[in-house]
Amino acid sequence: MTSTDTVADRRAATAEPILSVRNLRTAFFTDKEVIRAVDGVSFDVAPGETVGVVGESGSGKSVTARSIMGLIQSPGRVLDGSSIRFHHTETVREFAERFPDRTVDLQRIAGDLDPATLFESIEATPATFGYDDPEQATVADFVATGYDDALGIDPDDSVFVTDGSTKSPTRGFLEVTRLGGEARRAIRGDKIAMVFQDPLTSLNPVYTVGNQIKEALRLHRSLTGAAATTEAIELLEAVGIPDATRRLREYPHQFSGGMRQRAVIAMALACDPELLICDEPTTALDVTIQAQILDLLEELRAERGLGIVFITHDMGVIAETADRVNVMYAGEVVETAGVERLFATPKHPYTQGLLASIPGRQGGERLRTIEGTVPTPNAPATDCRFAPRCPEAFKACERVHPVSVPIDDDGDHTAACLLYPDAEPVDYHTHHGDGERR
Amino acid sequence: MSSKVHADLETLVSVRNLRTYYEDDGLFGGRPVKAVDGVSFDINRGETLGLVGESGCGKTTLGRTLIRLERATGGEVRFDGVDITTLSGEELKSWRRDAQMVFQDPDSSLNDRLTVGEIIREPLDVHEWRTPAERRARVRELLEMVGLRPEHYYRYPHQFSGGQRQRIGIARTLTLEPEFIVLDEPVSALDVSVQAEVINLLEDLQEEFGLTYLFIAHDLSVVRHICDRVAVMYLGNIMEIGPTEELFADPANPYTHALLSAIPEPDPTSDRDRITLHGSPPNPRYPPSGCPFSTRCPARIRPVEYEDLDDELWSQLSTLREILRERQRTDRTVTDRIRSLLGKEPRFGTAEEIYGELFDGRTVPDDVRSVLDDVAAALADDDVDVALERLVAEFGGVCDGTQPEHHEVGETTRTSLCHRHEPAYRSPDRTLDERH
C-alpha cells in the first residue's frame, strides 16, 4: 500500500481495496498522433463494491477496462508511471509460490532507499505518479511503474510483498501492468474476469455453449469430462438459465440475447474471480432483460463478495447498480463520488450537463444539451478538456489543467474543475497541477 | 412534452386489423412468423405517436408496413382515407413522397460513397423535382434547417459524428415535404447529450412543418418526453394505447406495468419496486394461443383452486411450462436419439433434474405434486406433448386459452388488451399490488 494522503487513498483506508488503479495512462501511438485514451485515471475497488464508470463514447471507459485486463494491443500501450495493483492476499501468496523468480520483497529494497531522492536520479517527477509532492512517492511506486532499472529490479518481476517473507507473504500486491506471459494468463479470467457488451461477439458461434464454458474450466481449473459437465450445469443454473442440461449442448444462436449474456456471465464466473469488469453488459439488451441481468449481477455480488467495475453510458443503470461513480471525460476522471451524492449534488459542469440531458429528469419543453462532442485527447492536457463545451468556462480554463479537488471534508467527493475549491481556485490548480512537467 | 392542443383531431393514418406475416419460403409453407398480428389504431394529424416494446415485438415491422416498405398480409392502412396497402405503380410512387422514414443506425443508412449533398438530393432526383439548380439550392436550405452548414454539401458521411449523421438522415426525409415520418429508433445509437440535441431538432421541425410522427423506441424516457400518445407493443399486438402522461402515470396493462418498472431510474434514492419479468418473449412463429403475454405475465389469472398458491412456486410452474414449450419445438437430431438410446449423456435433462432445479427446497402441495408426477411420467416416455397438455389442463386458465379484447381504461381514449379488465376478475393493478 502507498502511504500517501491523496484523496483516493484516504477513502481507501476505510475498506481495504482489492484493486487500486493509480494514475493509469494508456496511449495509442499512430503515425499521425499519440492518442491519450486514458490519461491519469485513479480509483479503488473494494470487495463487494460496485464501482461505476460513466461517460460518453470516446471518453476512455472501455480502454480503462481493457488496461486492467491487459488487453491493450499494439499500437496501444500502458505508459510508465501507471499502476494497477491487485491486493488480494491469497492470490499474492499463490503467485509468490508459483513464480518465486518474479517475487520481490519490497521491505528489503525500501530499507536503503529514500524515494524522495530517487527523483534526482531518474527521469520522473512526482506528477508522473499523480502526486504533487516528492514526499508522497513510495518505493513501491518506482518499482511498480516502470522505473525499476534504477533499483536493479528485473522487468519481469510483478509480485511484490510488503509484509511477511517472499515464502509466505501476508500482504502485498500484484502489479497488473507488469504481468506477462503465464502470470498474466493466470490472473486474466481467473482472478479478474470480464463481461463484454455484445454477448454474440464474446461467444464463439461454432462451439456449443457448454463447450466454451468447459474450455474455461479446463484451462483454469483443470476440470475435464463429467466433472466439467457437472460444474458447467451448476454455473448455468447459478446464472438463472433453466433446463441447463439441454442448454449446455446448444449453440449461441439458439440462445436469446438475455440468455447469451447470462451464459457469458457464467463463463466469467467459472473460475470464481475476485473482480468482475462489466463493460456495458446490458447496453445491447431490452429493458426487461436488462432488469434481469442487473438483478443477477447484484445477487452475485452479494453472494460472492465480488468487486465489480461497471462501465456504462446510462445514468439510470449507474444509479441502480453502483456504490461509487467515476465520471470520465476525454480520458480523465472529472468527478467521483458516492452514487447518492453524485446524483444529488453534481459539482462538475460536465456531470451536471450529463444529468440534465436525460429526458424525463427535467421539466420544461426543451431538453438541455451539451454542445459539441468529446475531443480526442491527442496531446498532454494543458487546459481543461471540457472547457470548449462548458457553459461556465472562463479564461483560466484555457491555460490551467484542473486537478482533482476534494469537494467535502471527508474527501469522498472530488471534482476536477477550476470552479473548486471555493477559495483561490485557479491558484490551487496551478500550484498542485502538473504544469511544470509538461 | 410536445402537447400541442389540436382543436380538430383529424385522423391522418388509420390502421385496421393490420397483419404482417413473414412466410416460410419452404415448399410446404410452414408456419409464418407473425410479426404484426392484427393491430388497429389511429394517428392524428400533427401528433407524435410513440411505439414501444422489446426487440422482436414487431414495432419496426409495423412502422415499415405503414409506409409500404413491407407488404401487409391483411387488414388496411388508410392514409387520408386512401388504403395504401393496395396502391401500386405511379400511384404508389407519388404517395411515397408523403411518407418517409428515419432509420436507427446512421452508419448503415447513409451511402458512404456519396457526398452528403448527393444523399439528400437523391429523393429529389428520383421524383424529378424541378431543375437541378433548384434541387441543389433546396439541399443547402435543408442542411441549414437541420443545423448543418451549406458547405457540408461536398463532404462524405464518415467525416461527421453520429449525431450529425442522424441530422443528414433527417434532412433526407424532409426533402419532399412529407406529412408523415416514421422515426425508427432515431436516437438509440447516440450519446445522451447528442440524443437531446436530435430530439430538440425533431420537435422544432414538427412544429415548423406540422409533421406527424410515428416514433419507434425502446427507451421509454425519450418517449415520455416527445410523444403525445403511446402504443405499447408485445409479440405483434398492441397491449395498451393511450395518452402518454396518463399511460405512464397509471399503466393499466400488466405488461406496461412491468415495462415501466424495468426502466432504471436516474435517481439512486428511489425505492420503487421493480417487477422483473421471467424469461424472454416467445417465438413469434409459435405465439401462445391465448393472450400474447400469458407466458410471462405476473398477473396471469389462475384457476380458482390455485388462487392461494405460493407466488414463487407458481412462477416455477410457469418456468417448467416454458421449458416444455421450448422442448416441444426443439428438433432432436439423429445423433441425439442414438445417444439417448445408448444411454449416454442425453441432450435433455431428465424430469428429476429439472424438478431438482426448480422445486428443491420448496413445499409443494399434494395436488400440485400429483400433477408433476404425471408430467414426469409423460416425460419419461419422451412424450412432451402429453406432459404439456397435462400441465396446461391443470394450471392453465382463461389467459392461456382465449384471446383477450381491448377494454377501455382510464379517463379518455385509452384501451388495454387484458382479460383482467373484464368485470369477473380482479383488476391488474390490484393483482400486482398483492403479488408484489
Side-chain angles (χ1 to χ4, degrees):
Chain A
M1 279 294 297
T2 57
S3 61
T4 69
D5 67 346
T6 58
V7 168
D9 276 352
R10 252 184 278 136
R11 172 168 48 75
T14 53
E16 191 81 10
I18 190 164
L19 181 87
S20 38
V21 177
R22 284 287 166 280
N23 196 36
L24 175 67
R25 293 186 295 143
T26 305
F28 292 84
F29 297 83
T30 65
D31 291 343
K32 222 170 88 190
E33 56 193 357
V34 176
I35 295 166
R36 302 163 156 267
V38 177
D39 203 4
V41 165
S42 304
F43 61 87
D44 287 319
V45 187
E49 184 188 36
T50 304
V51 173
V53 179
V54 70
E56 288 174 271
S57 21
S59 58
K61 314 183 290 282
S62 292
V63 178
T64 305
R66 286 169 172 272
S67 303
I68 299 173
M69 286 298 282
L71 292 172
I72 300 295
Q73 286 177 329
S74 178
R77 191 152 57 75
V78 176
L79 300 183
D80 286 352
S82 310
S83 171
I84 300 169
R85 294 173 199 181
F86 189 64
H87 293 286
H88 191 240
T89 312
E90 275 163 48
T91 310
V92 173
R93 205 171 295 144
E94 191 188 317
F95 273 58
E97 208 168 285
R98 218 167 134 189
F99 308 102
D101 302 347
R102 294 185 182 167
T103 309
V104 174
D105 188 348
L106 267 185
Q107 294 154 293
R108 195 175 50 74
I109 299 172
D112 39 56
L113 283 173
D114 176 12
T117 59
L118 278 172
F119 285 111
E120 292 158 20
S121 58
I122 56 173
E123 224 182 281
T125 63
T128 318
F129 305 121
Y131 303 138
D132 40 73
D133 190 335
E135 296 294 329
Q136 292 176 322
T138 63
V139 174
D141 290 325
F142 285 93
V143 296
T145 58
Y147 296 96
D148 40 6
D149 286 353
L151 303 169
I153 290 172
D154 193 84
D156 281 342
D157 291 340
S158 45
V159 184
F160 297 97
V161 177
T162 52
D163 260 324
S165 68
T166 49
K167 291 271 181 289
S168 62
T170 51
R171 226 173 145 185
F173 61 89
L174 299 173
E175 177 56 51
V176 178
T177 54
R178 294 168 65 96
L179 290 172
E182 203 187 329
R184 161 139 287 167
R185 286 195 294 278
I187 192 166
R188 181 199 290 155
D190 206 330
K191 308 295 175 193
I192 307 179
M194 184 157 174
V195 175
F196 295 89
Q197 172 172 0
D198 183 359
L200 253 195
T201 50
S202 33
L203 290 167
N204 189 330
V206 301
Y207 290 107
T208 61
V209 170
N211 223 321
Q212 300 181 50
I213 297 176
K214 282 189 259 180
E215 184 188 13
L217 291 170
R218 178 169 55 79
L219 287 175
H220 289 287
R221 287 170 60 185
S222 313
L223 283 177
T224 50
T229 308
T230 320
E231 180 66 27
I233 292 175
E234 267 172 33
L235 280 166
L236 285 187
E237 282 172 11
V239 296
I241 295 185
D243 206 8
T245 321
R246 172 172 66 90
R247 288 303 196 171
L248 217 47
R249 299 198 47 199
E250 291 188 348
Y251 291 87
H253 75 265
Q254 289 165 302
F255 280 51
S256 66
M259 285 290 170
R260 275 180 211 139
Q261 197 60 296
R262 282 173 195 264
V264 170
I265 294 173
M267 275 161 76
L269 294 176
C271 306
D272 215 353
E274 305 298 327
L275 182 74
L276 189 65
I277 299 175
C278 303
D279 188 0
E280 308 246 9
T282 58
T283 309
L285 307 173
D286 279 310
V287 277
T288 59
I289 309 295
Q290 167 171 290
Q292 294 172 3
I293 299 288
L294 294 183
D295 283 354
L296 171 67
L297 286 172
E298 174 58 27
E299 223 170 80
L300 294 169
R301 184 192 62 78
E303 255 170 39
R304 302 178 181 226
L306 274 176
I308 296 182
V309 178
F310 199 102
I311 296 174
T312 179
H313 66 268
D314 187 328
M315 295 305 263
V317 172
I318 276 289
E320 284 204 1
T321 53
D323 300 313
R324 292 192 58 75
V325 184
N326 296 294
V327 181
M328 281 191 77
Y329 185 80
E332 300 173 309
V333 171
V334 292
E335 182 160 7
T336 170
V339 66
E340 289 183 12
R341 198 178 295 180
L342 186 92
F343 278 80
T345 54
K347 291 293 180 188
H348 197 284
Y350 177 61
T351 317
Q352 291 167 354
L354 213 52
L355 288 172
S357 53
I358 304 172
R361 216 180 125 85
Q362 42 186 325
E365 284 282 306
R366 285 183 74 82
L367 292 174
R368 260 188 66 185
T369 63
I370 310 175
E371 293 290 325
T373 51
V374 184
T376 306
N378 52 8
T382 53
D383 57 352
C384 172
R385 284 179 174 147
F386 185 58
R389 299 174 73 188
C390 182
E392 302 187 34
F394 48 98
K395 256 227 160 92
C397 295
E398 286 167 23
R399 54 179 177 81
V400 180
H401 180 232
V403 295
S404 277
V405 184
I407 298 291
D408 51 8
D409 295 332
D410 57 3
D412 197 39
H413 188 169
T414 71
C417 179
L418 294 185
L419 293 172
Y420 311 101
D422 291 331
E424 306 273 329
V426 177
D427 284 352
Y428 181 94
H429 290 272
T430 330
H431 174 69
H432 288 264
D434 33 19
E436 66 261 74
R437 92 162 190 244
R438 279 153 178 176
Chain B
M1 213 180 89
S2 54
S3 52
K4 288 136 301 224
V5 181
H6 290 280
D8 52 330
L9 278 179
E10 187 193 346
T11 304
L12 177 69
V13 184
S14 157
V15 178
R16 288 292 168 270
N17 199 21
L18 184 70
R19 289 186 306 276
T20 309
Y21 294 174
Y22 294 105
E23 301 286 344
D24 257 352
D25 290 335
L27 200 55
F28 306 107
R31 300 181 70 110
V33 172
K34 300 180 175 174
V36 178
D37 199 10
V39 303
S40 305
F41 61 93
D42 292 329
I43 307 177
N44 298 323
R45 198 180 286 280
E47 83 167 344
T48 304
L49 175 70
L51 189 56
V52 298
E54 292 170 87
S55 39
C57 71
K59 53 191 193 302
T60 297
T61 305
L62 175 56
R64 292 173 64 93
T65 311
L66 291 194
I67 59 169
R68 275 295 294 272
L69 290 178
E70 302 288 341
R71 271 208 105 104
T73 315
E76 58 176 33
V77 179
R78 287 196 177 277
F79 193 95
D80 259 344
V82 183
D83 184 4
I84 59 112
T85 56
T86 55
L87 289 184
S88 62
E90 272 308 306
E91 275 179 337
L92 178 62
K93 189 175 169 187
S94 75
W95 170 77
R96 281 197 190 283
R97 304 174 67 148
D98 286 338
Q100 294 286 336
M101 182 152 179
V102 176
F103 297 91
Q104 171 171 7
D105 182 2
D107 282 334
S108 55
S109 57
L110 301 177
N111 189 336
D112 286 341
R113 287 154 193 259
L114 297 183
T115 63
V116 167
E118 286 167 329
I119 289 172
I120 300 175
R121 209 183 62 199
E122 212 174 11
L124 296 172
D125 293 341
V126 168
H127 287 275
E128 290 163 3
W129 189 81
R130 301 204 197 152
T131 66
E134 280 175 298
R135 288 177 203 166
R136 280 193 294 276
R138 168 89 177 133
V139 171
R140 292 208 165 79
E141 184 192 329
L142 284 162
L143 281 171
E144 278 191 274
M145 206 183 284
V146 297
L148 298 170
R149 289 198 301 274
E151 62 264 32
H152 287 154
Y153 193 103
Y154 297 105
R155 298 221 190 137
Y156 288 89
H158 73 263
Q159 293 169 301
F160 293 90
S161 67
Q164 286 174 314
R165 271 194 291 244
Q166 201 54 289
R167 287 170 191 268
I168 298 170
I170 292 169
R172 177 176 56 185
T173 61
L174 292 176
T175 44
L176 294 160
E177 298 179 332
E179 286 187 74
F180 176 58
I181 300 182
V182 174
L183 304 159
D184 187 5
E185 310 237 9
V187 295
S188 19
L190 306 176
D191 274 318
V192 63
S193 64
V194 183
Q195 174 179 308
E197 288 173 22
V198 173
I199 291 172
N200 285 341
L201 171 69
L202 288 170
E203 289 188 321
D204 292 345
L205 292 171
Q206 180 171 46
E207 200 154 308
E208 197 172 337
F209 301 105
L211 297 167
T212 306
Y213 289 151
L214 177 71
F215 191 94
I216 302 174
H218 65 260
D219 183 342
L220 293 148
S221 51
V222 174
V223 167
R224 186 172 194 168
H225 179 84
I226 196 174
C227 297
D228 302 304
R229 289 192 307 139
V230 186
V232 180
M233 218 172 153
Y234 185 82
L235 206 67
N237 289 267
I238 286 182
M239 304 303 289
E240 183 167 358
I241 179 169
T244 309
E245 271 315 308
E246 206 185 302
L247 186 136
F248 271 78
D250 172 34
N253 196 281
Y255 180 62
T256 319
H257 266 286
L259 196 63
L260 291 179
S261 82
I263 316 171
E265 251 182 74
D267 174 12
T269 53
S270 115
D271 53 350
R272 174 186 50 129
D273 254 352
R274 185 152 74 192
I275 306 173
T276 307
L277 293 178
H278 295 278
S280 39
N283 185 339
R285 199 184 290 273
Y286 305 90
S289 48
C291 169
F293 189 47
S294 60
T295 58
R296 296 169 85 197
C297 185
R300 189 148 63 97
I301 298 165
R302 302 176 186 177
V304 185
E305 59 269 37
Y306 295 111
E307 194 57 56
D308 298 321
L309 205 63
D310 178 46
D311 286 335
E312 287 281 320
L313 181 61
W314 180 255
S315 87
Q316 296 299 53
L317 287 170
S318 311
T319 314
L320 175 63
R321 205 163 125 198
E322 269 315 284
I323 292 176
L324 297 183
R325 273 173 65 96
E326 272 177 44
R327 280 193 179 189
Q328 200 180 24
R329 296 197 298 264
T330 316
D331 296 324
R332 291 212 301 170
T333 60
V334 178
T335 11
D336 284 330
R337 285 170 202 276
I338 295 174
R339 282 179 79 94
S340 71
L341 279 178
L342 293 176
K344 277 199 176 175
E345 208 187 295
R347 163 111 183 241
F348 293 153
T350 60
E352 287 80 55
E353 276 174 5
I354 301 176
Y355 285 5
E357 193 183 310
L358 291 177
F359 303 112
D360 240 11
R362 290 180 207 285
T363 40
V364 182
D366 287 338
D367 45 352
V368 178
R369 172 67 66 193
S370 80
V371 181
L372 288 179
D373 288 343
D374 291 351
V375 171
L379 282 181
D381 298 340
D382 260 344
D383 207 337
V384 182
D385 294 340
V386 172
L388 196 58
E389 235 168 71
R390 178 77 181 100
L391 202 62
V392 175
E394 192 65 26
F395 301 114
V398 58
C399 294
D400 303 282
T402 328
Q403 291 252 8
E405 306 263 325
H406 266 282
H407 294 271
E408 287 208 5
V409 289
E411 295 143 22
T412 46
T413 53
R414 193 150 56 111
T415 64
S416 162
L417 188 76
C418 181
H419 283 296
R420 282 210 177 265
H421 298 304
E422 287 161 26
Y425 303 107
R426 220 159 33 153
S427 76
D429 291 347
R430 283 184 46 206
T431 316
L432 288 171
D433 277 351
E434 216 158 277
R435 290 193 191 170
H436 282 269

